[in-house]
Amino acid sequence: MKKAITDLEYGETGTIVEIRGFCQALNSLGIRTGKNVKMITRQPIKGPVVVIAGDVQVAMGCDLAAGVVVEIRGMSDGSA
């Protein structure tokens, strides 16, 4: 199943399969196609989203995160 990063549940993991817009900004954060990510936290009301991409925690705005599509693998046991 595919979801935007903003729609991931806490602890849910997946692989980035598509990036819509802001590619250069996301690439500089380490967010790129093929990278594994795990949802750590998201703030309510369009607040920032924090994910682990590889071994790095990345915080990004909700609008930026909404353009990142992830293929879901399920709940993680602690590794992204």
Side-chain angles (χ1 to χ4, degrees):
M1 171 175 28
K2 293 181 184 178
K3 292 184 180 180
I5 281 184
T6 52
D7 296 329
L8 295 178
E9 300 296 328
Y10 300 110
E12 201 167 30
T13 62
T15 303
I16 298 171
V17 293
E18 183 181 352
I19 297 176
R20 300 175 184 150
F22 304 111
C23 289
Q24 188 172 3
L26 289 166
N27 192 33
S28 68
L29 293 172
I31 303 294
R32 53 185 66 89
T33 304
K35 191 86 159 199
N36 294 327
V37 294
K38 176 183 175 186
M39 170 60 80
I40 300 299
T41 187
R42 66 177 181 256
Q43 300 301 314
I45 311 172
K46 298 262 183 188
V49 173
V50 179
V51 297
I52 293 180
D55 295 328
V56 178
Q57 282 192 11
V58 177
M60 64 187 102
C62 187
D63 291 338
L64 195 61
V68 180
V69 180
V70 177
E71 181 73 38
I72 303 305
R73 288 196 312 262
M75 299 303 280
S76 176
D77 60 359
S79 59

